[in-house]
Amino acid sequence: MTDSQPDNPGIPVSSLVRAYQCPRRYYFSRHDPVPVSDRYIICKQVSLTGAVMNEEEIWDQVSMVHPDIDPGMRAYLSECLTRVSRMPAVSWTESDISVSSPRLGIHGMIDKYDSGTEKMSVVRCTRAPAAGCWPADRIRVAAYLLCLLETGGISLPGGYIEYIPDGIIRYCEPGPRDRRALLQAAAMTRRINQGEL
């Protein structure tokens, strides 16, 4: 699996999920840039670090990735590290892999992929639900699995969702309902992008 930019970017998976969660809010904010949150940057760095967690080193890395990060976010990093210390690490060989589905007209970036075990992982900076995965995360995983299949010919039944703030990993295997929701969300996002509400 190699990192590649999609030829026809189409709809970002993040936009598709935002439109699914709240079509009206997406409609009014679709032309506004969506900055990457400080929380996501911290969670991503924690996830990529692996088993040995040194707060000072991770904060140093976070500051290099995002020089303008609010120093007050250091407390959030500490909380995440406390929770993640009990979580098994998800192995990975590649990160930030650009994938796309020309068939559906979507593209996105997979956080982590392990070519040895063929596992895909998505990093989230949200709290985990009491059980299972959030519906939006199920659609996110379904979208990435479709893109991974079309980009790299890799067919996986599911992927992992790392809820870093809770130190919880959940396996998500999208079913027909999730894939239908993905198709509906993609069609709705296209209509909204064309100015319909």
Side-chain angles (χ1 to χ4, degrees):
M1 184 81 215
T2 57
D3 187 49
S4 62
Q5 282 297 105
D7 296 330
N8 180 10
I11 302 167
V13 171
S14 57
S15 293
L16 184 142
V17 172
R18 281 190 303 132
Y20 166 79
Q21 290 174 314
C22 183
R24 185 174 296 277
R25 192 167 81 190
Y26 176 72
Y27 175 83
F28 289 112
S29 67
R30 69 189 187 281
H31 298 300
D32 299 337
V34 180
V36 178
S37 77
D38 291 352
R39 290 174 184 269
Y40 175 75
I41 289 170
I42 288 171
C43 289
K44 179 76 168 278
Q45 206 59 43
V46 167
S47 175
L48 293 175
T49 300
V52 181
M53 301 276 183
N54 180 305
E55 184 175 328
E56 195 63 42
E57 285 179 24
I58 296 173
W59 182 253
D60 226 24
Q61 294 166 0
V62 166
S63 300
M64 282 190 261
V65 170
H66 185 39
D68 299 328
I69 194 161
D70 175 6
M73 293 302 294
R74 177 78 181 252
Y76 180 74
L77 170 62
S78 295
E79 289 173 29
C80 288
L81 289 177
T82 300
R83 301 267 169 85
V84 168
S85 64
R86 298 181 296 272
M87 181 177 94
V90 176
S91 62
W92 59 278
T93 55
E94 299 174 63
S95 66
D96 296 331
I97 302 171
S98 294
V99 291
S100 66
S101 165
R103 198 162 48 140
L104 198 53
I106 61 174
H107 72 93
M109 193 169 291
I110 294 174
D111 290 315
K112 291 162 62 175
Y113 177 75
D114 190 329
S115 57
T117 58
E118 289 199 332
K119 289 181 181 173
M120 178 197 82
S121 184
V122 175
V123 175
R124 302 296 295 136
C125 61
T126 55
R127 306 303 295 257
C133 307
W134 297 115
D137 289 336
R138 297 185 69 80
I139 290 175
R140 190 185 310 273
V141 169
Y144 286 138
L145 291 174
L146 178 64
C147 290
L148 187 60
L149 177 62
E150 290 190 39
T151 300
I154 299 167
S155 177
L156 301 178
Y160 292 88
I161 302 173
E162 301 178 37
Y163 293 106
I164 299 296
D166 283 332
I168 291 174
I169 298 174
R170 300 259 167 84
Y171 181 71
C172 171
E173 193 168 307
R177 180 180 180 179
D178 303 309
R179 289 188 284 274
R180 275 194 300 274
L182 168 62
L183 294 174
Q184 291 166 357
M188 178 176 59
T189 307
R190 278 193 294 273
R191 288 197 305 274
I192 293 173
N193 287 345
Q194 291 163 1
E196 294 180 35
L197 181 60

